[in-house]
Amino acid sequence: MSFSLPDFRRKWSCRGNMSARAAMVTVTLGLSLVLSEPAHTRNYAAPLDIFGLGTPRPRGSAHSARVSTKIPLPKPRPEEAPKATDEAVPEADGKPSPDKPGASKPAEAAPPPEKQLSACRLALSEEIAVAPSIPDIDGPGACGGEDLVRLEAIVLPDKRKVALKPAAILRCTMASAVADWVRTDMVPLATSLGSTITDLDNFDSFECRGRNRVVGAMLSEHGKANALDVRSLKLANGQSIGLTDRTLSRDVRERVLHSVCSRFSTVLGPGSDWYHEDHIHLDLAQRRNGYRICQWNVWDPLPHVAPLLPADRPEEAPPREVAAKSVGVKDRANDGANDQESAKPAAAPVKPAADSGKSKPATKKRR
């Protein structure tokens, strides 16, 4: 292949002569330098970096240094070191152990402080009553309350228990008053009757309602867990002390009346209204100047009237058929006699005798 300057000028325009000439010179110098340098002595990353702009990489010397370096071996395990089973397992893949919270895990919220027990709750111990605490109730219309318990049984001084059937939800103060009433007043009453108390008939305790269950009435003390309705106390011998039972001795019912009216601020029973004719309402309502209500009429016992029974038939009496016939004959004879008397003409009236000239004074008959 022949190359001449006239041919080059003929093929390429004059305007690009200088740029084409410079490019050819640069390529020629680069190839000559690359081909003249041995391959194992090249210290540059790029083969065309002829101007020294790249970072040199000493390949041969670095490889030989890595090969000649000795890797140190671990020291032997000391005798006093713990066994491998006693050591903590290292965390894998950078994951924290379950018992150690990670740095990115947010700290757990501190538990709320425990609510301090009231003086009543501390006094109402297991030696007095079985009354576990329950959460506060915040119902509609101011229903509910705080410091509530579920009174399940009352523990007597001799460790026997008086069960409330069913269990009553009350405020601690009301539950304490009921337990003290049973332990102090009702146990001696049952002892005088020759027995012991086993059950208390709970007619009603906490219920979110108005007074006497009347719609629109004021909130009852039952809605505040501050009242208890009692119907009777059952004894171990099977007897029942019905608080409104008129067949029970009046003296027994009056003893109950005096005991509850001295302990509770409200007592409603027979005679207060017709809502409380079959049970006794007890509560600890707070009123101005400590005003108390005790409305319970202890009625007299009902009279014991023997039923009227026919007398036994005597042995000498005739048979019923003969007696019935004789009674019929007598009735017909009496009817005939009455008819004859009615048929007789009426007697003429007696005329007074003529006066003989002397008049006698009239006399009065005694009645």
Side-chain angles (χ1 to χ4, degrees):
M1 178 179 179
S2 61
F3 179 77
S4 62
L5 185 59
D7 296 335
F8 177 79
R9 289 178 178 177
R10 188 174 57 252
K11 293 180 179 180
W12 302 92
S13 62
C14 297
R15 188 172 50 187
N17 289 340
M18 296 302 296
S19 60
R21 189 179 301 173
M24 293 178 64
V25 172
T26 303
V27 170
T28 304
L29 291 175
L31 292 175
S32 63
L33 291 175
V34 170
L35 295 176
S36 62
E37 184 180 9
H40 65 278
T41 58
R42 294 172 186 171
N43 297 329
Y44 299 96
L48 299 179
D49 191 6
I50 60 178
F51 298 102
L53 299 178
T55 304
R57 292 188 302 173
R59 299 189 180 191
S61 59
H63 179 70
S64 61
R66 286 198 300 269
V67 174
S68 61
T69 303
K70 294 182 179 180
I71 300 174
L73 299 176
K75 295 181 180 180
R77 186 180 184 86
E79 297 179 357
E80 62 274 8
K83 296 182 181 181
T85 56
D86 299 336
E87 294 180 353
V89 180
E91 298 176 358
D93 300 335
K95 296 180 180 180
S97 59
D99 56 344
K100 295 181 180 180
S104 60
K105 185 178 180 180
E108 296 181 357
E114 296 183 358
K115 185 177 180 179
Q116 295 183 354
L117 299 178
S118 63
C120 175
R121 176 68 269 188
L122 295 175
L124 193 63
S125 61
E126 296 179 354
E127 298 179 355
I128 297 177
V130 180
S133 298
I134 62 175
D136 299 342
I137 298 177
D138 186 10
C143 279
E146 300 178 352
D147 196 16
L148 304 179
V149 300
R150 185 174 63 253
L151 185 60
E152 300 175 357
I154 299 170
V155 181
L156 301 182
D158 58 358
K159 304 304 179 182
R160 290 181 296 104
K161 295 181 180 179
V162 177
L164 272 77
K165 296 182 179 181
I169 297 178
L170 301 170
R171 294 190 181 188
C172 180
T173 52
M174 183 63 187
S176 179
V178 172
D180 190 45
W181 168 59
V182 172
R183 287 164 54 92
T184 306
D185 297 341
M186 294 297 99
V187 170
L189 177 61
T191 303
S192 65
L193 298 177
S195 185
T196 57
I197 304 176
T198 58
D199 300 332
L200 187 148
D201 186 4
N202 168 27
F203 187 61
D204 193 16
S205 58
F206 170 71
E207 183 180 359
C208 187
R209 60 175 175 82
R211 292 181 179 178
N212 299 324
R213 294 184 175 87
V214 177
V215 179
M218 294 181 61
L219 181 65
S220 172
E221 291 297 317
H222 287 281
K224 304 175 184 178
N226 197 33
L228 179 69
D229 289 346
V230 183
R231 279 198 289 197
S232 63
L233 299 171
K234 296 183 180 179
L235 306 182
N237 60 2
Q239 186 180 359
S240 177
I241 303 177
L243 303 186
T244 61
D245 186 7
R246 296 181 63 178
T247 62
L248 189 66
S249 171
R250 182 186 178 94
D251 178 65
V252 173
R253 289 179 288 147
E254 286 183 346
R255 289 178 61 179
V256 178
L257 168 65
H258 296 318
S259 66
V260 294
C261 288
S262 63
R263 292 181 176 275
F264 300 95
S265 60
T266 306
V267 177
L268 301 177
S272 60
D273 51 44
W274 67 274
Y275 296 100
H276 301 90
E277 292 297 324
D278 59 348
H279 66 276
I280 303 301
H281 170 91
L282 310 173
D283 69 45
L284 290 177
Q286 296 181 358
R287 301 183 181 87
R288 185 180 302 176
N289 299 327
Y291 180 73
R292 308 168 73 92
I293 297 176
C294 182
Q295 297 179 357
W296 177 7
N297 294 335
V298 180
W299 306 116
D300 293 331
L302 295 175
H304 297 281
V305 179
L308 299 177
L309 298 176
D312 296 335
R313 185 178 182 82
E315 297 180 358
E316 62 275 9
R320 293 183 181 276
E321 296 178 357
V322 176
K325 291 180 179 180
S326 62
V327 170
V329 171
K330 291 180 179 180
D331 292 341
R332 286 195 296 272
N334 294 332
D335 293 341
N338 294 333
D339 294 341
Q340 292 178 0
E341 290 180 358
S342 60
K344 291 180 180 181
V350 179
K351 295 181 179 180
D355 294 337
S356 59
K358 296 182 180 179
S359 63
K360 295 181 179 179
T363 60
K364 294 182 180 180
K365 296 182 180 180
R366 296 181 180 177
R367 296 181 179 178

